[in-house]
Amino acid sequence: MQFRTEIEIPAAAKPLDRAQGIVTLGSCFAEVIGRKLEQTKAKALVNPFGTVFNPLSVHKLVAAALTQDFEFLEQGMVQQQGRWVHYDFHSSFAQEQPEVLLQNLREKLIQVGEFLKTAQALLLTWGTAFVYERLDTGAVVANCHKVPQKQFNKRLLPLEEIQESTKRTLNLLQTHCPHLQVILTVSPVRHLKDTLPLNSVSKSLLRVAAHLAQEQHAQVSYFPAYELLLDDLRDYRFFSDDLLHPSSLAEEYIWNKFLRAYADPTFIHFLDRWQQLSRDLAHKPFNPESPAHQAFLQKLLQRLQALASEVDVTEEIAAVQTQILQ
């Protein structure tokens, strides 16, 4: 008897090489997958603009990174609580001087553009189809930065607008990064502030837009993160305490599904070795100075040094060396 419906994800046409470069952009779920890629020593650029929930805003930043068109930057500057922020970027970019903020944003866009040109994949995660528009300019913002809500108009994007923005972005990526594959996902995080019924409307629009993009663009695939949590796991025990975000157990389940669908055999083989090393690095001895533990550390150091030709394990080697008695 079956008690759940497991989703089988077809293997990617072009499996991912751990060392070839993956960019994650979008909602906080892009951060989750990106951090897990980093933890496995994959070459990854993780949510470099900070959390961006709506597709129009993340597409705008992708376009700016590819074309190096920075004219929009000055128009989005705003001073809030004594610090300068930008409506298109996360609050973590805040600076006391506007010139410093502008320079940092330019440098970040340049970095992302350069990384995308050599990367093998872009994981693009959409969180919501609701957007906030500035009443003074009509521009969609990625972050309101606690500016009073009366200065914005909130609206639900129609499917056609999401489609058109997605098409422009994918065509631009195809022009500038012809070898890049795009992995679209809809974030499984529920947006309670929109109400649960309207959250469903929002996610449905994003899901249809992702489906149409996959159908119309050869470089696009869809990873069902949303369906894995809502339809496969389908239980509140797989949510965190806020009942909106996936729990660490659910994140691990979705991550393993992602690996099985997208990682190439070399990546999987490396993970098997790295997971054992990670467990050994996390080991907490009862007696750190015992001969047995010191011998364990020496062997661990040798294994890390043998791996150094494949990945950067400088920090791990230094951490082990500090524990070895001289």
Side-chain angles (χ1 to χ4, degrees):
M1 182 181 296
Q2 288 187 326
F3 291 95
R4 52 184 278 259
T5 305
E6 187 170 357
I7 298 173
E8 294 299 331
I9 306 169
K14 297 180 181 179
L16 300 180
D17 183 325
R18 179 189 54 80
Q20 290 303 308
I22 305 167
V23 184
T24 70
L25 291 176
S27 78
C28 49
F29 187 73
E31 187 94 13
V32 170
I33 295 297
R35 294 303 171 209
K36 288 188 176 294
L37 285 166
E38 285 186 329
Q39 290 164 12
T40 61
K41 295 294 182 179
K43 182 182 178 182
L45 186 60
V46 182
N47 243 8
F49 306 124
T51 305
V52 181
F53 292 106
N54 78 79
L56 266 56
S57 290
V58 73
H59 296 169
K60 178 180 181 179
L61 293 172
V62 169
L66 293 173
T67 63
Q68 302 293 283
D69 182 358
F70 305 147
E71 287 188 13
F72 75 99
L73 287 179
E74 291 192 15
Q75 300 166 3
M77 302 274 288
V78 62
Q79 191 173 26
Q80 181 69 354
Q81 297 179 344
R83 292 170 68 81
W84 286 89
V85 291
H86 198 285
Y87 280 127
D88 292 314
F89 293 82
H90 191 263
S91 57
S92 58
F93 285 92
Q95 294 290 334
E96 292 183 0
Q97 300 299 326
E99 300 82 7
V100 177
L101 174 60
L102 277 174
Q103 183 61 29
N104 289 350
L105 297 182
R106 289 192 190 99
E107 290 175 357
K108 182 60 64 175
L109 287 166
I110 292 170
Q111 177 200 14
V112 174
E114 292 301 316
F115 198 101
L116 279 170
K117 289 174 185 176
T118 60
Q120 63 183 326
L122 166 62
L123 175 68
L124 199 57
T125 301
W126 297 332
T128 180
F130 280 99
V131 296
Y132 288 85
E133 294 173 324
R134 294 172 58 181
L135 292 180
D136 56 348
T137 66
V140 170
V141 304
N143 195 318
C144 294
H145 296 295
K146 299 183 179 179
V147 173
Q149 191 164 347
K150 64 183 180 180
Q151 297 187 29
F152 302 95
N153 173 53
K154 180 181 179 180
R155 70 179 177 92
L156 182 67
L157 294 171
L159 177 60
E160 293 75 14
E161 191 171 355
I162 303 173
Q163 270 188 278
E164 185 57 36
S165 176
T166 303
K167 181 180 179 180
R168 285 196 305 269
T169 305
L170 292 174
N171 287 341
L172 199 59
L173 284 165
Q174 185 67 26
T175 299
H176 289 266
C177 316
H179 302 294
L180 186 77
Q181 59 173 304
V182 179
I183 305 168
L184 285 177
T185 67
V186 174
S187 170
V189 179
R190 302 187 299 173
H191 288 242
L192 186 59
K193 66 181 179 180
D194 298 327
T195 74
L196 289 180
L198 288 180
N199 173 74
S200 295
V201 172
S202 168
K203 299 290 188 184
S204 297
L205 286 165
L206 298 177
R207 183 62 189 93
V208 172
H211 172 73
L212 293 172
Q214 182 184 14
E215 292 284 304
Q216 297 164 6
H217 298 268
Q219 79 269 35
V220 174
S221 63
Y222 176 75
F223 176 67
Y226 178 79
E227 291 84 354
L228 284 168
L229 182 61
L230 274 295
D231 295 321
D232 185 340
L233 297 178
R234 203 192 315 173
D235 194 301
Y236 271 115
R237 63 195 163 122
F238 296 111
F239 285 82
S240 62
D241 290 344
D242 65 5
L243 303 181
L244 302 175
H245 291 75
S247 67
S248 57
L249 181 61
E251 289 177 351
E252 191 66 20
Y253 179 79
I254 295 170
W255 163 245
N256 284 320
K257 286 282 192 178
F258 179 82
L259 285 177
R260 243 181 282 173
Y262 284 97
D264 70 10
T266 304
F267 194 167
I268 296 296
H269 177 64
F270 173 82
L271 277 179
D272 291 339
R273 292 184 292 153
W274 182 247
Q275 285 171 353
Q276 181 58 56
L277 271 170
S278 297
R279 285 192 289 268
D280 290 345
L281 285 165
H283 175 65
K284 302 294 184 184
F286 179 73
N287 183 1
E289 299 180 2
S290 69
H293 184 64
Q294 289 297 307
F296 165 82
L297 289 174
Q298 290 288 355
K299 289 182 180 178
L300 180 56
L301 180 61
Q302 292 172 8
R303 289 159 61 202
L304 287 169
Q305 290 170 336
L307 199 63
S309 61
E310 298 179 51
V311 294
D312 182 5
V313 286
T314 307
E315 291 185 9
E316 289 81 3
I317 287 175
V320 171
Q321 286 175 331
T322 60
Q323 300 175 64
I324 295 176
L325 299 178
Q326 302 300 321

